[in-house]
Amino acid sequence: VPRSPRGSGRSSPAPNLAPASPGPAQLQLVREQMAAALRRLREGAKLMVRAYDRGDAHEIASGRLDTVDNQIDTTTGTGIDLNGNTAPVSFGAMTQVDVAGAGTGVDFQGTTGGAVTFADLDIALSGANGTAFDLNGAMINANVTATDFDVTSTTAVGTTGVDLSGTSGTGTVQLGDSNVAGQSASIAGFNVGVQFSAASNATFIFGDGESPTDQGSTIAGTTAIANGSAVTNGSYDFDDVIFTGTCAGVGAAFSPPKFLRAGDTVRIEI
């Protein structure tokens, strides 16, 4: 935003909307303050904005709020787009991304040269053909970590939790906390939980990954892990993960539904 002298003009003061480490009460306060700010903006008020350092002690810039746009396109939008970043990027506290339609929650493109960390990443999809965490074709040359990773989808039609098709690079992608009794990771409601391809050549850890001590991480979908074709390169660690899935042709999805009846024979082969 344009710099302006502190307190200049006829701008209305705006509260500090970004506490350094917000807890639940602070997040509620932020939501209430933002609602008030949006209401004043619609009324034509000129709202001052002040940016503070990480310690929330020193003002480093000031300006005027002209517009607010936090809407993700419902058909092709991306919540967080990380395209070839070379500097470290850190998302503290909780990061919530909601996507309605065939969009992407977090999208990595090009070559990632700076470490990317999420303290707590929650992605919710509510439309067909979307992807929650997309590294398709990306070269990851720095570590990508989500200490607490939870993604959900309300539909299994064409949706993917984590796409590692063609992902390569020297960095490690870790979704989950490696500490014993640490945070777990979960993927739920997708057509494919984790997608690979023959070109995948990455180092990937899902869940705790440290030992059989913790077993809280889960992948639930029509297909928990899909490789498309054989993966021959890279390292993929799914230690301590509970997998659940629904095979193609499940009877409840037929019209009309089909269920087992007395006298039916079930044959299972491994």
Side-chain angles (χ1 to χ4, degrees), residues 12-71:
S12 301
N16 175 18
L17 300 179
S21 298
Q26 289 174 306
L27 288 173
Q28 178 61 32
L29 180 60
V30 169
R31 285 192 289 267
E32 293 173 354
Q33 291 174 331
M34 181 58 73
L38 292 174
R39 183 170 59 254
R40 295 285 290 127
L41 194 64
R42 288 193 294 268
E43 293 170 352
K46 296 179 180 180
L47 302 180
M48 285 290 296
V49 176
R50 298 188 181 97
Y52 291 84
D53 61 9
R54 291 178 64 90
D56 202 24
H58 303 287
E59 182 179 330
I60 58 177
S62 63
R64 188 182 72 189
L65 179 64
D66 290 324
T67 186
V68 174
D69 183 4
N70 62 351
Q71 188 71 33

Side-chain angles (χ1 to χ4, degrees), residues 178-235:
S178 62
N179 296 325
V180 174
Q183 298 294 333
S184 299
S186 67
I187 297 174
F190 292 84
N191 179 49
V192 174
V194 180
Q195 177 73 58
F196 298 98
S197 72
S200 298
N201 186 7
T203 301
F204 179 73
I205 301 172
F206 185 88
D208 303 308
E210 84 289 344
S211 71
T213 303
D214 297 334
Q215 295 182 341
S217 295
T218 59
I219 300 178
T222 304
T223 303
I225 299 176
N227 63 353
S229 52
V231 180
T232 58
N233 297 302
S235 174

Side-chain angles (χ1 to χ4, degrees), residues 156 191 221-223 245-260:
N191 179 49
T222 304
T223 303
T246 303
C247 61
V250 61
F254 280 75
S255 182
K258 297 182 179 180
F259 301 100
L260 291 175

